[in-house]
mmCIF file of all heavy atoms in Angstrom:
data_model
loop_
_atom_site.group_PDB
_atom_site.id
_atom_site.type_symbol
_atom_site.label_atom_id
_atom_site.label_comp_id
_atom_site.label_asym_id
_atom_site.label_seq_id
_atom_site.Cartn_x
_atom_site.Cartn_y
_atom_site.Cartn_z
ATOM 1 N N TYR A 171 -16.688 -18.172 22.471
ATOM 2 C CA TYR A 171 -16.018 -18.704 21.265
ATOM 3 C C TYR A 171 -14.825 -17.882 20.832
ATOM 4 O O TYR A 171 -14.075 -18.279 19.989
ATOM 5 C CB TYR A 171 -17.068 -18.778 20.151
ATOM 6 C CG TYR A 171 -17.796 -20.164 20.223
ATOM 7 C CD1 TYR A 171 -18.879 -20.255 21.030
ATOM 8 C CD2 TYR A 171 -17.347 -21.242 19.502
ATOM 9 C CE1 TYR A 171 -19.549 -21.449 21.165
ATOM 10 C CE2 TYR A 171 -18.019 -22.406 19.666
ATOM 11 C CZ TYR A 171 -19.087 -22.548 20.485
ATOM 12 O OH TYR A 171 -19.711 -23.740 20.599
ATOM 13 N N GLU A 172 -14.692 -16.664 21.508
ATOM 14 C CA GLU A 172 -13.439 -15.935 21.268
ATOM 15 C C GLU A 172 -12.241 -16.813 21.690
ATOM 16 O O GLU A 172 -11.132 -16.775 21.079
ATOM 17 C CB GLU A 172 -13.429 -14.651 22.156
ATOM 18 C CG GLU A 172 -14.246 -13.532 21.650
ATOM 19 C CD GLU A 172 -13.565 -12.810 20.562
ATOM 20 O OE1 GLU A 172 -12.582 -12.170 20.786
ATOM 21 O OE2 GLU A 172 -14.071 -12.873 19.400
ATOM 22 N N VAL A 173 -12.471 -17.588 22.763
ATOM 23 C CA VAL A 173 -11.341 -18.356 23.336
ATOM 24 C C VAL A 173 -10.743 -19.362 22.329
ATOM 25 O O VAL A 173 -9.578 -19.235 21.971
ATOM 26 C CB VAL A 173 -11.756 -19.029 24.650
ATOM 27 C CG1 VAL A 173 -10.570 -19.774 25.194
ATOM 28 C CG2 VAL A 173 -12.203 -17.972 25.610
ATOM 29 N N PRO A 174 -11.551 -20.285 21.775
ATOM 30 C CA PRO A 174 -10.947 -21.188 20.800
ATOM 31 C C PRO A 174 -10.419 -20.538 19.562
ATOM 32 O O PRO A 174 -9.367 -20.923 19.036
ATOM 33 C CB PRO A 174 -12.101 -22.207 20.459
ATOM 34 C CG PRO A 174 -13.302 -21.607 21.023
ATOM 35 C CD PRO A 174 -12.930 -20.683 22.087
ATOM 36 N N VAL A 175 -11.128 -19.447 19.092
ATOM 37 C CA VAL A 175 -10.674 -18.756 17.908
ATOM 38 C C VAL A 175 -9.310 -18.153 18.155
ATOM 39 O O VAL A 175 -8.341 -18.282 17.416
ATOM 40 C CB VAL A 175 -11.705 -17.744 17.454
ATOM 41 C CG1 VAL A 175 -11.087 -16.790 16.417
ATOM 42 C CG2 VAL A 175 -12.935 -18.342 16.918
ATOM 43 N N SER A 176 -9.167 -17.463 19.354
ATOM 44 C CA SER A 176 -7.920 -16.826 19.639
ATOM 45 C C SER A 176 -6.818 -17.838 19.807
ATOM 46 O O SER A 176 -5.673 -17.653 19.408
ATOM 47 C CB SER A 176 -8.040 -15.975 20.885
ATOM 48 O OG SER A 176 -9.126 -15.140 20.808
ATOM 49 N N MET A 177 -7.149 -18.962 20.419
ATOM 50 C CA MET A 177 -6.174 -20.024 20.670
ATOM 51 C C MET A 177 -5.642 -20.549 19.281
ATOM 52 O O MET A 177 -4.441 -20.806 19.073
ATOM 53 C CB MET A 177 -6.731 -21.191 21.416
ATOM 54 C CG MET A 177 -7.117 -20.851 22.867
ATOM 55 S SD MET A 177 -5.652 -20.711 23.860
ATOM 56 C CE MET A 177 -5.079 -22.359 23.839
ATOM 57 N N THR A 178 -6.540 -20.671 18.340
ATOM 58 C CA THR A 178 -6.115 -21.164 17.052
ATOM 59 C C THR A 178 -5.248 -20.124 16.338
ATOM 60 O O THR A 178 -4.244 -20.509 15.693
ATOM 61 C CB THR A 178 -7.381 -21.404 16.157
ATOM 62 O OG1 THR A 178 -8.370 -21.920 16.999
ATOM 63 C CG2 THR A 178 -7.076 -22.393 15.059
ATOM 64 N N VAL A 179 -5.654 -18.867 16.489
ATOM 65 C CA VAL A 179 -4.801 -17.793 15.912
ATOM 66 C C VAL A 179 -3.424 -17.823 16.512
ATOM 67 O O VAL A 179 -2.428 -17.704 15.834
ATOM 68 C CB VAL A 179 -5.502 -16.427 16.069
ATOM 69 C CG1 VAL A 179 -4.603 -15.352 15.639
ATOM 70 C CG2 VAL A 179 -6.775 -16.399 15.270
ATOM 71 N N LEU A 180 -3.403 -18.094 17.843
ATOM 72 C CA LEU A 180 -2.127 -18.179 18.544
ATOM 73 C C LEU A 180 -1.209 -19.212 17.964
ATOM 74 O O LEU A 180 -0.045 -19.042 17.712
ATOM 75 C CB LEU A 180 -2.389 -18.482 20.010
ATOM 76 C CG LEU A 180 -1.147 -18.447 20.921
ATOM 77 C CD1 LEU A 180 -0.586 -17.109 21.007
ATOM 78 C CD2 LEU A 180 -1.575 -18.890 22.335
ATOM 79 N N MET A 181 -1.898 -20.339 17.601
ATOM 80 C CA MET A 181 -1.122 -21.444 17.003
ATOM 81 C C MET A 181 -0.565 -21.067 15.663
ATOM 82 O O MET A 181 0.584 -21.356 15.325
ATOM 83 C CB MET A 181 -2.048 -22.688 16.924
ATOM 84 C CG MET A 181 -1.402 -23.892 16.294
ATOM 85 S SD MET A 181 -2.645 -25.143 16.278
ATOM 86 C CE MET A 181 -2.074 -26.005 14.830
ATOM 87 N N VAL A 182 -1.381 -20.373 14.883
ATOM 88 C CA VAL A 182 -0.940 -19.924 13.566
ATOM 89 C C VAL A 182 0.236 -18.951 13.701
ATOM 90 O O VAL A 182 1.257 -19.013 13.005
ATOM 91 C CB VAL A 182 -2.056 -19.216 12.761
ATOM 92 C CG1 VAL A 182 -1.546 -18.573 11.516
ATOM 93 C CG2 VAL A 182 -3.133 -20.246 12.464
ATOM 94 N N VAL A 183 0.128 -18.072 14.706
ATOM 95 C CA VAL A 183 1.225 -17.138 14.929
ATOM 96 C C VAL A 183 2.507 -17.923 15.308
ATOM 97 O O VAL A 183 3.573 -17.567 14.868
ATOM 98 C CB VAL A 183 0.823 -16.167 16.062
ATOM 99 C CG1 VAL A 183 2.001 -15.290 16.498
ATOM 100 C CG2 VAL A 183 -0.306 -15.249 15.563
ATOM 101 N N LEU A 184 2.329 -18.929 16.115
ATOM 102 C CA LEU A 184 3.449 -19.755 16.519
ATOM 103 C C LEU A 184 4.123 -20.387 15.293
ATOM 104 O O LEU A 184 5.355 -20.379 15.155
ATOM 105 C CB LEU A 184 2.894 -20.884 17.436
ATOM 106 C CG LEU A 184 3.981 -21.776 18.119
ATOM 107 C CD1 LEU A 184 4.496 -21.058 19.282
ATOM 108 C CD2 LEU A 184 3.236 -23.051 18.586
ATOM 109 N N VAL A 185 3.307 -20.860 14.373
ATOM 110 C CA VAL A 185 3.894 -21.534 13.193
ATOM 111 C C VAL A 185 4.528 -20.571 12.217
ATOM 112 O O VAL A 185 5.614 -20.744 11.769
ATOM 113 C CB VAL A 185 2.794 -22.362 12.468
ATOM 114 C CG1 VAL A 185 3.361 -22.972 11.222
ATOM 115 C CG2 VAL A 185 2.206 -23.426 13.428
ATOM 116 N N THR A 186 3.841 -19.452 11.955
ATOM 117 C CA THR A 186 4.291 -18.562 10.923
ATOM 118 C C THR A 186 5.308 -17.500 11.480
ATOM 119 O O THR A 186 6.015 -16.900 10.724
ATOM 120 C CB THR A 186 3.150 -17.758 10.323
ATOM 121 O OG1 THR A 186 2.442 -17.038 11.327
ATOM 122 C CG2 THR A 186 2.203 -18.660 9.604
ATOM 123 N N GLY A 187 5.272 -17.330 12.773
ATOM 124 C CA GLY A 187 6.188 -16.299 13.387
ATOM 125 C C GLY A 187 5.817 -14.890 13.041
ATOM 126 O O GLY A 187 6.656 -14.031 13.024
ATOM 127 N N SER A 188 4.554 -14.640 12.738
ATOM 128 C CA SER A 188 4.152 -13.319 12.418
ATOM 129 C C SER A 188 2.742 -13.017 12.972
ATOM 130 O O SER A 188 1.912 -13.921 12.987
ATOM 131 C CB SER A 188 4.175 -13.113 10.877
ATOM 132 O OG SER A 188 3.497 -11.852 10.573
ATOM 133 N N MET A 189 2.508 -11.775 13.373
ATOM 134 C CA MET A 189 1.147 -11.417 13.813
ATOM 135 C C MET A 189 0.470 -10.498 12.852
ATOM 136 O O MET A 189 -0.559 -9.956 13.113
ATOM 137 C CB MET A 189 1.237 -10.769 15.187
ATOM 138 C CG MET A 189 1.244 -11.773 16.300
ATOM 139 S SD MET A 189 1.225 -11.002 17.895
ATOM 140 C CE MET A 189 -0.488 -10.842 18.254
ATOM 141 N N SER A 190 1.164 -10.264 11.661
ATOM 142 C CA SER A 190 0.455 -9.434 10.701
ATOM 143 C C SER A 190 -0.224 -10.301 9.640
ATOM 144 O O SER A 190 0.328 -11.397 9.343
ATOM 145 C CB SER A 190 1.518 -8.523 10.026
ATOM 146 O OG SER A 190 1.711 -8.851 8.710
ATOM 147 N N VAL A 191 -1.315 -9.843 9.157
ATOM 148 C CA VAL A 191 -2.104 -10.606 8.241
ATOM 149 C C VAL A 191 -1.277 -10.958 7.005
ATOM 150 O O VAL A 191 -1.208 -12.109 6.549
ATOM 151 C CB VAL A 191 -3.397 -9.852 7.869
ATOM 152 C CG1 VAL A 191 -4.077 -10.480 6.664
ATOM 153 C CG2 VAL A 191 -4.412 -9.875 9.028
ATOM 154 N N GLN A 192 -0.632 -9.964 6.491
ATOM 155 C CA GLN A 192 0.173 -10.185 5.268
ATOM 156 C C GLN A 192 1.347 -11.104 5.541
ATOM 157 O O GLN A 192 1.728 -11.910 4.707
ATOM 158 C CB GLN A 192 0.649 -8.858 4.710
ATOM 159 C CG GLN A 192 -0.374 -7.899 4.225
ATOM 160 C CD GLN A 192 -1.146 -8.333 2.982
ATOM 161 O OE1 GLN A 192 -1.787 -9.389 3.021
ATOM 162 N NE2 GLN A 192 -1.089 -7.533 1.970
ATOM 163 N N GLY A 193 1.893 -10.935 6.766
ATOM 164 C CA GLY A 193 3.000 -11.852 7.137
ATOM 165 C C GLY A 193 2.557 -13.318 7.184
ATOM 166 O O GLY A 193 3.251 -14.200 6.768
ATOM 167 N N ILE A 194 1.416 -13.550 7.754
ATOM 168 C CA ILE A 194 0.853 -14.950 7.848
ATOM 169 C C ILE A 194 0.655 -15.479 6.454
ATOM 170 O O ILE A 194 1.009 -16.646 6.192
ATOM 171 C CB ILE A 194 -0.451 -14.930 8.727
ATOM 172 C CG1 ILE A 194 -0.076 -14.665 10.173
ATOM 173 C CG2 ILE A 194 -1.137 -16.272 8.551
ATOM 174 C CD1 ILE A 194 -1.255 -14.427 11.027
ATOM 175 N N ILE A 195 0.053 -14.683 5.604
ATOM 176 C CA ILE A 195 -0.184 -15.162 4.262
ATOM 177 C C ILE A 195 1.149 -15.392 3.527
ATOM 178 O O ILE A 195 1.392 -16.379 2.855
ATOM 179 C CB ILE A 195 -1.060 -14.170 3.439
ATOM 180 C CG1 ILE A 195 -2.458 -14.045 4.088
ATOM 181 C CG2 ILE A 195 -1.185 -14.617 1.966
ATOM 182 C CD1 ILE A 195 -3.330 -13.048 3.460
ATOM 183 N N GLY A 196 2.118 -14.475 3.782
ATOM 184 C CA GLY A 196 3.405 -14.544 3.168
ATOM 185 C C GLY A 196 4.152 -15.819 3.596
ATOM 186 O O GLY A 196 4.985 -16.334 2.830
ATOM 187 N N ALA A 197 3.873 -16.324 4.804
ATOM 188 C CA ALA A 197 4.526 -17.557 5.222
ATOM 189 C C ALA A 197 3.991 -18.803 4.598
ATOM 190 O O ALA A 197 4.527 -19.874 4.724
ATOM 191 C CB ALA A 197 4.368 -17.669 6.782
ATOM 192 N N GLN A 198 2.852 -18.648 3.902
ATOM 193 C CA GLN A 198 2.305 -19.800 3.169
ATOM 194 C C GLN A 198 2.608 -19.678 1.654
ATOM 195 O O GLN A 198 3.135 -18.679 1.224
ATOM 196 C CB GLN A 198 0.769 -19.847 3.358
ATOM 197 C CG GLN A 198 0.415 -19.853 4.860
ATOM 198 C CD GLN A 198 -1.084 -19.763 5.060
ATOM 199 O OE1 GLN A 198 -1.847 -20.547 4.569
ATOM 200 N NE2 GLN A 198 -1.546 -18.817 5.830
ATOM 201 N N GLY A 199 2.264 -20.724 0.919
ATOM 202 C CA GLY A 199 2.513 -20.637 -0.499
ATOM 203 C C GLY A 199 1.255 -20.828 -1.336
ATOM 204 O O GLY A 199 0.163 -20.873 -0.803
ATOM 205 N N ALA A 200 1.396 -20.822 -2.603
ATOM 206 C CA ALA A 200 0.192 -20.878 -3.474
ATOM 207 C C ALA A 200 -0.327 -22.316 -3.612
ATOM 208 O O ALA A 200 -1.529 -22.531 -3.675
ATOM 209 C CB ALA A 200 0.596 -20.334 -4.857
ATOM 210 N N TRP A 201 0.604 -23.297 -3.606
ATOM 211 C CA TRP A 201 0.158 -24.697 -3.772
ATOM 212 C C TRP A 201 -0.490 -25.159 -2.493
ATOM 213 O O TRP A 201 -0.083 -24.772 -1.428
ATOM 214 C CB TRP A 201 1.346 -25.577 -4.146
ATOM 215 C CG TRP A 201 1.951 -25.257 -5.455
ATOM 216 C CD1 TRP A 201 3.179 -24.681 -5.603
ATOM 217 C CD2 TRP A 201 1.434 -25.403 -6.767
ATOM 218 N NE1 TRP A 201 3.443 -24.431 -6.958
ATOM 219 C CE2 TRP A 201 2.351 -24.932 -7.686
ATOM 220 C CE3 TRP A 201 0.240 -25.973 -7.211
ATOM 221 C CZ2 TRP A 201 2.166 -24.965 -9.026
ATOM 222 C CZ3 TRP A 201 0.033 -26.004 -8.613
ATOM 223 C CH2 TRP A 201 0.935 -25.513 -9.487
ATOM 224 N N PRO A 202 -1.498 -26.065 -2.639
ATOM 225 C CA PRO A 202 -2.190 -26.489 -1.443
ATOM 226 C C PRO A 202 -1.293 -27.105 -0.372
ATOM 227 O O PRO A 202 -1.554 -26.875 0.793
ATOM 228 C CB PRO A 202 -3.157 -27.523 -2.025
ATOM 229 C CG PRO A 202 -3.411 -27.117 -3.408
ATOM 230 C CD PRO A 202 -2.178 -26.460 -3.859
ATOM 231 N N TRP A 203 -0.236 -27.760 -0.767
ATOM 232 C CA TRP A 203 0.599 -28.359 0.218
ATOM 233 C C TRP A 203 1.485 -27.325 0.939
ATOM 234 O O TRP A 203 2.127 -27.612 1.911
ATOM 235 C CB TRP A 203 1.467 -29.500 -0.323
ATOM 236 C CG TRP A 203 2.279 -29.086 -1.528
ATOM 237 C CD1 TRP A 203 3.507 -28.507 -1.526
ATOM 238 C CD2 TRP A 203 1.921 -29.276 -2.896
ATOM 239 N NE1 TRP A 203 3.964 -28.265 -2.778
ATOM 240 C CE2 TRP A 203 3.014 -28.746 -3.666
ATOM 241 C CE3 TRP A 203 0.839 -29.805 -3.556
ATOM 242 C CZ2 TRP A 203 2.944 -28.760 -4.999
ATOM 243 C CZ3 TRP A 203 0.807 -29.820 -4.874
ATOM 244 C CH2 TRP A 203 1.919 -29.264 -5.652
ATOM 245 N N GLU A 204 1.446 -26.129 0.444
ATOM 246 C CA GLU A 204 2.145 -25.020 1.142
ATOM 247 C C GLU A 204 1.206 -24.276 2.100
ATOM 248 O O GLU A 204 1.637 -23.351 2.815
ATOM 249 C CB GLU A 204 2.749 -24.097 0.146
ATOM 250 C CG GLU A 204 3.894 -24.665 -0.618
ATOM 251 C CD GLU A 204 4.322 -23.883 -1.827
ATOM 252 O OE1 GLU A 204 3.526 -23.070 -2.317
ATOM 253 O OE2 GLU A 204 5.452 -24.019 -2.239
#
Side-chain angles (χ1 to χ4, degrees):
Chain A
Y171 276 84
E172 285 281 291
V173 179
V175 168
S176 309
M177 294 286 294
T178 325
V179 171
L180 185 63
M181 180 178 148
V182 171
V183 171
L184 189 76
V185 176
T186 58
S188 167
M189 276 182 90
S190 112
V191 167
Q192 298 290 60
I194 289 170
I195 297 175
Q198 306 175 54
W201 298 107
W203 55 85
E204 292 167 337

